Amino acid sequence: MAVEVYLNFNGNCREAVTFYETVFNTNKPEIMTFGDSPQNPSYPLPEEAKDLVMHTRLSIFGSTVMFSDTFPGHPFTIGNNVTLAVVSGDEAQMRKAFDGLKEGGKVTMELQETFWSKCYGSLTDKFGVEWQFSHEENR
């Protein structure tokens, strides 16, 4: 069983997904825009929505994370209610990703040894998404 997280962005989803693709060295995602979806003539799609991301996903350390822009005019709150936990047995890979996410972000706790992990840290990236990193030997 997997826990999949869905993150919404306010018009900068494509930029965020491209950033995460690079940081986590994943495959290039398939991006579906609102303009790619079947159109309903009774509800014409606003021009500013056509190139916004309706849905995409990345595989990050074996977990699926899904992404979307909010539809124009819908309320948006930066992801302060979402924390993504990266748990890995590969400390070098974890450190590289943590360092990548630090770019333009704010570190809450630098990677360090704690009583529960030989390497733990947390940060908020430049898109307002909160991340926790924890090293576990058997992952």
Side-chain angles (χ1 to χ4, degrees):
M1 183 180 290
V3 174
E4 297 181 356
V5 178
Y6 210 114
L7 300 175
N8 290 303
F9 293 85
N10 196 23
N12 61 344
C13 181
R14 190 180 306 270
E15 177 188 359
V17 169
T18 301
F19 176 72
Y20 297 141
E21 173 193 347
T22 301
V23 167
F24 292 107
N25 193 29
T26 67
N27 292 334
K28 189 169 183 65
E30 291 183 28
I31 294 177
M32 174 187 275
T33 65
F34 287 106
D36 293 334
S37 65
Q39 301 302 303
N40 181 340
S42 300
Y43 301 98
L45 186 66
E47 194 62 37
E48 66 270 19
K50 289 183 178 177
D51 289 329
L52 293 178
V53 176
M54 181 176 174
H55 178 77
T56 192
R57 69 178 69 212
L58 292 174
S59 178
I60 299 176
F61 293 132
S63 295
T64 299
V65 180
M66 297 176 284
F67 305 84
S68 178
D69 279 312
T70 56
F71 197 78
H74 285 96
F76 174 79
T77 302
I78 292 178
N80 62 359
N81 62 331
V82 177
T83 299
L84 300 178
V86 175
V87 182
S88 174
D90 187 336
E91 186 177 344
Q93 185 182 35
M94 239 178 53
R95 287 184 178 279
K96 181 178 179 188
F98 188 90
D99 288 343
L101 290 174
K102 283 179 14 178
E103 180 186 323
K106 180 181 177 190
V107 173
T108 309
M109 180 178 180
E110 281 290 348
L111 288 173
Q112 59 192 275
E113 188 168 347
T114 65
F115 69 89
W116 68 87
S117 174
K118 110 177 190 183
C119 184
Y120 175 86
S122 60
L123 58 82
T124 302
D125 71 23
K126 66 182 180 180
F127 297 103
V129 177
E130 296 180 22
W131 295 84
Q132 297 179 55
F133 284 76
S134 186
H135 181 269
E136 288 185 12
E137 290 293 333
N138 298 325
R139 287 286 185 125

